[in-house]
Amino acid sequence: MTIIRTPDPAEATGAWAEGYAGDLRELGYVPSHTRVMAVNPQAQRAFEDLTGAIAQSIGLRLYELVTLAAAGALRSQACRLAHGRKSRTVFDDAQLERIALDYHAAGLSELEVTAMELAERISRDSTALTEQDTQRLRDLGLTDRQIVDVVLAAAARNYFSRALHALAVPPDVPPDLPDSLREALLTGM
């Protein structure tokens, strides 16, 4: 359990109330990570602006795949569960379960699999990457901007997941996440 003190949603004021309001509307509850990150709302907004700018060029589908792969490599239960839920807007539950358990056998495109492999490698040892790793994305049709954004998506997930780990933020299980999908997201890490 995190040592960071945060108000309950009903008691929140100022920046906390603003941070909580969106999650209450969208999710019906305020996740632990929102509570902790509301301590520095400027940093949270900057992170949201960054991820929004990244997803613009690569699209939500590829952004979420890269995010799921990076979160899995980092063993971030919080991010796998949260982005598993978000990914339900671009994948049906059956395919998302297959992606979570083995994305190589989930009917994804070669580009999507390559981007997920790169995200895992970035998350495990970014110093081992070479230009051939990103050249592969170019060979599969990505522009320079899109290559940068795939890498930034993985790196951003590293930033956020590692911050949650370091602050001992407990993962939340979204209440609308089916049990089989939750298990796949956590097993496939």
Side-chain angles (χ1 to χ4, degrees):
M1 185 54 102
T2 185
I3 64 162
I4 305 302
R5 293 185 204 105
T6 62
D8 289 323
E11 301 166 351
T13 60
W16 265 299
E18 289 175 30
Y20 290 3
D23 282 348
L24 284 170
R25 274 191 310 276
E26 183 182 330
L27 305 172
Y29 70 102
V30 180
S32 300
H33 68 270
T34 297
R35 292 176 187 231
V36 171
M37 293 306 165
V39 170
N40 186 340
Q42 296 88 355
Q44 181 59 24
R45 277 193 291 278
F47 178 73
E48 291 168 0
D49 288 345
L50 172 65
T51 58
I54 292 166
Q56 285 176 7
S57 81
I58 60 175
L60 184 60
R61 179 181 169 107
L62 188 55
Y63 174 82
E64 290 299 340
L65 289 171
V66 168
T67 297
L68 287 171
L74 294 164
R75 299 171 30 113
S76 174
Q77 292 182 355
C79 293
R80 281 283 281 206
L81 291 169
H83 283 276
R85 182 188 180 281
K86 287 182 180 185
S87 295
R88 294 175 77 199
T89 63
V90 289
F91 298 101
D92 66 38
D93 288 352
Q95 185 175 24
L96 192 50
E97 283 182 34
R98 290 191 309 276
I99 291 166
L101 293 171
D102 180 6
Y103 64 85
H104 293 95
L108 299 175
S109 71
E110 184 179 358
L111 170 63
E112 291 168 332
V113 169
T114 300
M116 291 182 80
E117 289 171 345
L118 181 65
E120 287 180 335
R121 293 191 59 213
I122 289 167
S123 302
R124 291 191 178 118
D125 183 9
S126 60
T127 64
L129 295 171
T130 67
E131 67 182 50
Q132 284 108 355
D133 294 302
T134 50
Q135 178 63 44
R136 195 139 178 254
L137 294 175
R138 175 174 284 127
D139 294 343
L140 292 169
L142 291 190
T143 65
D144 286 346
R145 164 73 190 266
Q146 291 170 319
I147 293 167
V148 167
D149 287 344
V150 165
V151 170
L152 286 175
R157 186 53 36 205
N158 274 259
Y159 154 76
F160 201 80
S161 293
R162 291 176 193 275
L164 296 181
H165 289 159
L167 293 168
V169 177
D172 295 292
V173 177
D176 60 344
L177 202 63
D179 289 341
S180 60
L181 180 53
R182 176 187 47 78
E183 288 181 30
L185 288 162
L186 297 177
T187 301
M189 293 195 312

